[in-house]
């Protein structure tokens, strides 16, 4: 048996062979691709749009930069980046082709077609040369990968010296009482809404579970430092429901 078949990882609260997780995650996002924005609305009560704006505020895109947006789905981050940075370009990478197809249908995609590239690929083995990008972003995607350290290592590899990593992800509330209330909402409401709105309870159940398996803010910051990044900082959003992590390749 291969190493990926003998080592296990988590798929939500299930333990699964590492070699099977990517296919299982691919299945989830294939099923929810045409409802991706709705999915994030359900998961965040609609606040994810403000979080993405906050991400751009902290990132402060500059003209002429080259962005790689991994797990870029329907292009939300790339569109925001390009609107703020004249002359910049963006490559959107996602493992699920149907997610990219949905992104290319959006109005902004046609208006920015000459500045956008869409690529099907694996965050753990990026199909780009070393030091290719000025900025690397991943939004609500890193918790779904099989090996987070591999993703961060690849991010470091493809960034130019002076390049910046920024991660937006659901996180953990530092207040135990608020976390308890958030858990009750997440586990009792979101999967039911997924069943009613998208006829897909299982995918939304997985997504809620995947948030609870993701490292807390300090632990994840330590993983970013271990990948070689410097000046690593994070900001909690909505009391820690989500967090922004930033690091620099120096």
């Amino acid at each position: 048996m291969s190493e990926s078949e003998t080592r296990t990882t988590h798929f939500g609260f299930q333990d699964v062979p590492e070699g099977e997780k990517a296919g299982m995650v691919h299945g989830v996002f294939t099923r929810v691709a045409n409802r991706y924005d709705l999915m994030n609305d359900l998961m965040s009560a609609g606040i994810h749009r403000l979080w993405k704006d906050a991400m751009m505020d902290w990132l402060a895109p500059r003209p002429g930069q080259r962005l790689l947006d991994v797990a870029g789905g329907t292009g939300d981050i790339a569109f925001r980046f390009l609107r703020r940075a004249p002359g910049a370009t963006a490559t959107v990478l996602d493992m699920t082709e149907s997610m990219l197809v949905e992104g290319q249908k959006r109005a902004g995609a046609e208006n920015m077609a000459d500045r956008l590239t869409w690529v099907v690929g694996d965050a753990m083995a990026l199909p780009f040369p070393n030091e290719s990008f000025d900025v690397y972003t991943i939004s609500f995607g890193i918790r779904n990968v099989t090996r987070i350290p591999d993703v961060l290592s690849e991010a470091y590899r493809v960034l130019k010296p002076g390049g910046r990593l920024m991660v937006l992800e659901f996180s953990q509330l530092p207040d135990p009482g608020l976390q308890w209330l958030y858990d009750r909402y997440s586990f009792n409401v979101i999967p039911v809404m997924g069943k009613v709105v998208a006829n897909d309870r299982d995918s939304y159940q997985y997504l809620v579970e995947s948030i609870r398996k993701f490292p807390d803010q300090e632990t994840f910051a330590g993983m970013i430092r271990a990948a070689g990044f410097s000046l690593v900082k994070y900001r909690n959003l909505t009391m820690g429901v989500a967090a922004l992590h930033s690091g620099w390749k120096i």
Side-chain angles (χ1 to χ4, degrees), residues 2-3 8 11 16 21-24 32 63 66 69 103 109 116 121 130 139 166-167 170-171 193 200 203 208 214 225:
S2 68
E3 192 173 358
T8 61
F11 177 77
V16 299
K21 180 171 179 176
M24 297 171 77
V32 304
R66 189 177 183 199
D69 184 38
L116 270 169
N130 295 348
S139 174
M166 188 162 285
V167 181
F170 288 108
S171 197
M193 287 195 293
D200 188 355
S203 292
V208 170
F214 190 69
R225 293 187 189 98

Side-chain angles (χ1 to χ4, degrees), residues 64-236:
Q65 286 186 316
R66 189 177 183 199
L67 166 72
L68 174 61
D69 184 38
V70 173
T74 54
D76 262 6
I77 298 302
F79 295 156
R80 282 173 165 80
F81 186 91
L82 293 178
R83 289 187 192 108
R84 297 196 187 201
T89 60
T91 297
V92 180
L93 179 137
D94 202 289
M95 67 177 293
T96 308
E97 184 174 8
S98 54
M99 292 289 290
L100 296 174
V101 169
E102 290 299 318
Q104 292 173 72
K105 291 178 183 177
R106 297 178 65 175
E110 184 174 348
N111 297 337
M112 303 177 185
D114 60 333
R115 302 166 64 196
L116 270 169
T117 304
W118 306 83
V119 178
V120 177
D122 183 351
M124 298 189 299
L126 296 171
F128 308 112
N130 295 348
E131 301 181 0
S132 299
F133 298 93
D134 302 293
V135 181
Y136 175 114
T137 56
I138 182 167
S139 174
F140 304 121
I142 200 164
R143 76 180 189 280
N144 297 307
V145 305
T146 303
R147 294 185 300 278
I148 292 174
D150 289 6
V151 173
L152 295 173
S153 176
E154 278 290 270
Y156 190 87
R157 179 183 68 80
V158 302
L159 278 170
K160 299 175 184 178
R164 190 175 187 185
L165 164 80
M166 188 162 285
V167 181
L168 171 59
E169 188 52 86
F170 288 108
S171 197
Q172 312 298 328
L173 280 72
D175 183 287
L178 291 176
Q179 183 67 54
W180 185 88
L181 289 173
Y182 180 47
D183 285 347
R184 302 287 78 72
Y185 162 74
S186 298
F187 286 101
N188 295 311
V189 177
I190 291 176
V192 173
M193 287 195 293
K195 173 64 176 177
V196 171
V197 176
N199 195 30
D200 188 355
R201 181 188 180 101
D202 290 347
S203 292
Y204 288 82
Q205 182 71 33
Y206 158 72
L207 291 164
V208 170
E209 293 175 1
S210 70
I211 295 170
R212 298 308 177 272
K213 298 294 288 186
F214 190 69
D216 63 29
Q217 290 87 325
E218 287 289 349
T219 302
F220 185 53
M223 297 174 76
I224 295 172
R225 293 187 189 98
F229 289 96
S230 302
L231 304 175
V232 176
K233 299 178 180 179
Y234 68 85
R235 295 177 178 178
N236 283 331

Side-chain angles (χ1 to χ4, degrees), residues 44-65:
S44 70
I47 304 172
H48 71 99
R49 302 170 197 277
L50 299 178
W51 295 341
K52 291 169 181 174
D53 288 338
M55 183 184 199
M56 288 299 111
D57 290 342
W58 195 12
L59 190 59
R62 297 194 304 274
Q65 286 186 316

